[in-house]
């Protein structure tokens, strides 16, 4: 019989209630930008979510994290952008001590079994999710909303994950029912897209900085 969740662990999570529909939108957010806001807003609107948690991660295990600003700095920047009260900026991964998506998914579904979590990712991440640890378990645990990104549409729809779960794809006009769907289930959301990227913004900031003498 599984051990009951400890009160300290539960206290680290944003407040929820059974039946709440919560989108999990993770990233380093270095820096957060209008493209992130577009993904979160699209998920709220198209999926009928009650909340979207902006999960400010300690660092992407698949990317170099040298020079990554502290979570507190990135959280403050994300909060200035995510002003909708249904968008909750949190460092829950740091608080729970998880770094990989699968570890977070396992912890959240155990700690909050009554919440209807949906993983919200960009099409660029769906195109490479097969490189994530235990990626099939992730897909088989939570429904996934894939929000289209410029230049990633074809790669995402031809990706190993898209092929593996082709029969479990939900039509975009039925996206509002994704949170109630039994995983594996995924939807590809198209529409207006933002071409902004954190990488490009960081590069622009470096170019705008005065040269060191």
């Amino acid at each position: 019989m599984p051990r009951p969740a400890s009160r300290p662990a539960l206290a680290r999570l944003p407040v929820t209630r059974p039946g709440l529909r919560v989108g999990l939108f993770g990233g380093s957010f270095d820096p957060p930008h209008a493209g992130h806001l577009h993904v979160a807003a699209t998920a709220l609107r198209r999926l009928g979510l009650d909340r979207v948690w902006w999960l400010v991660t300690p660092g992407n295990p698949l990317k170099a994290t040298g020079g990554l600003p502290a979570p507190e700095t990135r959280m403050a920047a994300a909060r200035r952008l995510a002003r909708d009260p249904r968008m909750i900026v949190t460092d829950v991964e740091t608080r729970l001590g998880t770094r990989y998506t699968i570890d977070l998914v396992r912890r959240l579904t155990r700690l909050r079994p009554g919440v209807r979590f949906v993983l919200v990712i960009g099409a660029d991440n769906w195109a490479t999710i097969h490189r994530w640890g235990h990626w099939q378990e992730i897909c088989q645990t939570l429904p996934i909303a894939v929000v289209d990104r410029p230049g990633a549409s074809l790669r995402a729809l031809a990706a190993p994950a898209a092929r593996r779960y082709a029969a479990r794809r939900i039509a975009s006009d039925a996206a509002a029912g994704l949170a109630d769907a039994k995983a594996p289930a995924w939807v590809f959301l198209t529409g207006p897209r933002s071409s902004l990227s954190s990488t490009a913004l960081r590069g622009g900031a470096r170019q705008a900085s005065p040269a060191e003498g």
Side-chain angles (χ1 to χ4, degrees):
M1 183 174 180
R3 260 184 286 176
S6 66
R7 290 185 180 274
L10 285 170
R12 297 186 184 108
L13 301 180
V15 176
T16 62
R17 64 178 184 274
L20 204 70
R21 298 178 173 193
V22 177
L24 302 176
F25 178 38
S28 57
F29 300 112
D30 178 31
H33 53 70
H36 295 132
L37 183 60
H38 169 72
V39 170
T42 297
L44 275 172
R45 184 179 70 256
R46 301 278 298 276
L47 305 177
L49 300 177
D50 300 298
R51 302 283 188 276
V52 168
W53 291 0
W54 292 49
L55 305 173
V56 180
T57 67
N60 187 333
L62 297 179
K63 298 180 181 178
T65 56
L68 187 67
E72 295 79 9
T73 301
R74 291 177 281 131
M75 286 178 66
R79 287 192 178 111
R80 289 193 291 270
L81 194 66
R83 296 183 179 180
D84 188 313
R86 296 171 297 172
M87 298 184 187
I88 310 298
V89 178
T90 176
D91 60 347
V92 67
E93 289 191 80
T94 299
R95 291 174 178 272
L96 292 179
T98 60
R99 189 176 180 197
Y100 293 92
T101 300
I102 184 58
D103 296 326
L104 180 67
V105 167
R106 289 168 177 168
R107 291 292 298 280
L108 288 180
T109 53
R110 179 170 60 84
L111 293 171
R112 295 288 170 85
V115 175
R116 298 172 185 173
F117 289 112
V118 174
L119 186 64
V120 178
I121 62 176
D124 49 342
N125 283 323
W126 182 243
T128 59
I129 196 173
H130 58 283
R131 299 176 186 168
W132 298 13
H134 300 273
W135 71 276
Q136 293 192 52
E137 183 181 342
I138 296 171
C139 294
Q140 292 165 10
T141 303
L142 296 184
I144 299 176
V146 181
V147 181
D148 198 11
R149 292 274 293 158
S153 307
L154 295 178
R155 287 189 297 116
L157 294 174
R163 297 196 304 270
R164 172 68 177 82
Y165 298 108
R168 303 296 296 178
R169 182 180 174 184
I170 291 175
S172 60
D173 59 3
L178 182 67
D180 299 315
K182 179 178 175 55
W186 65 286
V187 66
F188 191 78
L189 300 178
T190 59
R193 298 175 295 178
S194 172
S195 59
L196 287 173
S197 76
S198 295
T199 302
L201 290 174
R202 288 196 303 272
R206 283 194 296 269
Q207 291 176 10
S209 300
E212 294 182 1

